[in-house]
Amino acid sequence: MKRLTAVMLLLILILPAVPVSAGGRSAYPARAIAYMDIRFRCGCTAVGTGAMICSDGLLTAGHNLICKNHNQTAEHLEFYFGYVSKNDYFYHYNGHVHYWYLDGFGSGYHSRHDIGYVRFDEEIGNKTGWLATRYGPDREFDGATCYISAYSKDGELTDYSAAISIDSKLQFLVSHGQLPYGGEGAPVIVYRNGKPTVVAVYNSHTDYALIGRRLTKDLFDEMKRRLNFGK
């Protein structure tokens, strides 16, 4: 996939993080957000977050699909939707998948292209539901409230509320400390007409901010050729 162009969002935290209640595991949209258990071909393991965006597709950080340290792809992916523990979840998928990512990190890690997506062999979104997706001009998102729905390693799903402010090209920054390990790949959500809509993916952090990748028309067009957005 060719590299794509995006713009930077500056997200300023306005409310404290509020854990999603245990009863929310089977409620929408929590049941459409997956805790990812990952093993790469280099032997590294990781956990991450991803979100269903159509009947057979999930959006996440690219480094949940290829190891950013060794440039080796994932050989085993498990997805727990509505996760509380490996014995308590809404839906579990460990079957065959296809996946794509923007950057293989061959020249080192760069967050600006750290986004990817998964196609399941089954339309599991008919069970979990899925989130809408949206790209658009800066003026549409500037000042809007968003929510980052991220898992921790221990399975706590938390919504971090923030206000969006447009900054520049390829990334967004969130004025907030590091999220718990496990949250990378989490959807950045705005509500449009009451519908949760993904506009970006959280993928990394600095000492002072979270970093993410915004959706673009080029990325969406690429996903439409491979995923089923028809339903």
Side-chain angles (χ1 to χ4, degrees), residues 110-189:
H110 299 285
S111 60
R112 61 185 176 272
H113 298 298
D114 186 5
I115 194 169
Y117 56 97
V118 175
R119 186 181 74 212
F120 299 96
D121 281 5
E122 303 172 16
E123 292 192 328
I124 66 171
N126 293 332
K127 301 179 178 72
T128 65
W130 61 84
L131 308 179
T133 51
R134 179 72 178 175
Y135 61 87
D138 292 351
R139 64 180 180 275
E140 180 176 333
F141 303 117
D142 191 22
T145 299
C146 74
Y147 303 88
I148 303 176
S149 294
Y151 277 106
S152 69
K153 181 181 179 180
D154 296 329
E156 182 180 33
L157 180 61
T158 301
D159 284 347
Y160 299 86
S161 179
I164 296 175
S165 177
I166 305 303
D167 187 53
S168 59
K169 291 184 178 178
L170 290 177
Q171 301 180 136
F172 64 72
L173 302 177
V174 181
S175 182
H176 181 63
Q178 180 181 355
L179 297 190
Y181 173 65
E184 292 176 6
V188 179
I189 297 167

Side-chain angles (χ1 to χ4, degrees), residues 23-44:
R25 291 171 299 179
S26 61
Y28 180 83
R31 68 172 184 258
I33 299 173
Y35 176 95
M36 298 174 61
D37 196 347
I38 306 157
R39 184 175 70 247
F40 299 101
R41 288 179 170 84
C42 54
C44 293

Side-chain angles (χ1 to χ4, degrees), residues 34-118:
Y35 176 95
M36 298 174 61
D37 196 347
I38 306 157
R39 184 175 70 247
F40 299 101
R41 288 179 170 84
C42 54
C44 293
T45 59
V47 297
T49 301
M52 293 298 292
I53 55 170
C54 62
S55 64
D56 65 350
L58 174 139
L59 191 66
T60 189
H63 75 262
N64 287 337
L65 306 174
I66 181 169
C67 178
K68 62 184 178 182
N69 297 314
H70 303 110
N71 321 115
Q72 296 292 305
T73 54
E75 66 175 354
H76 183 74
L77 292 164
E78 291 195 54
F79 303 84
Y80 296 85
F81 295 88
Y83 179 89
V84 173
S85 73
K86 291 188 176 179
N87 297 312
D88 188 2
Y89 48 80
F90 178 75
Y91 183 75
H92 175 222
Y93 184 90
N94 64 351
H96 185 261
V97 299
H98 298 270
Y99 57 84
W100 296 266
Y101 44 84
L102 265 62
D103 192 345
F105 312 120
S107 59
Y109 178 74
H110 299 285
S111 60
R112 61 185 176 272
H113 298 298
D114 186 5
I115 194 169
Y117 56 97
V118 175

